[in-house]
Amino acid sequence: MKYWLFKSEPSDWSWDDQVARGAAGEEWSGVRNNQARNAMREMTAGDLGFFYHSQKDRAIVGIVEVIAPAHPDSTADDDRWLCVDIRAVEPLVRPVTLASVKAEPALAGMALVRNPRLSVQPVAPEEWRRIRTMGGL
């Protein structure tokens, strides 16, 4: 199993929107960055990810599961763009803010700190465990 982080602007697609999709989940579509697309190519059903609210919230708010591996993005006119399907698993007890991630020395190498603009990014197992703890899980 691998771990990931999915960033979304809550005004476009929020944690509550994701939860409302239930077990059917939702396509994580609209990604138009090669590095993020390549990350989705590596995903398999059962992988877990953090759901991150970007812009003003800037916080990890929940955990999602990949329920369908990379496939053509239904919102793209170009077949090189892929997406995965994800479903909400559980909210964090306490959102983990970007500021708190940056303040944690053990997370200094995290992609969220080093490459904050990337919309889909890998999370190392030790980063996953630390953030879950910070989030009250």
Side-chain angles (χ1 to χ4, degrees), residues 18 29 46 68 115 126:
Q18 187 67 50
S29 60
N115 193 0
E126 58 276 4

Side-chain angles (χ1 to χ4, degrees), residues 124-136:
E126 58 276 4
E127 296 165 346
W128 179 264
R129 288 188 294 274
R130 182 68 191 122
I131 289 173
R132 280 183 53 90
T133 300
M134 291 169 69

Side-chain angles (χ1 to χ4, degrees), residues 10 16-17 22 27 36 38 40 52 58 78 92-93 96 120 127:
D16 290 340
D17 294 325
E27 229 182 39
N38 293 343
M40 288 191 290
Y52 179 88
R58 294 185 181 166
D78 183 339
L92 270 62
V93 174
V96 177
V120 177
E127 296 165 346

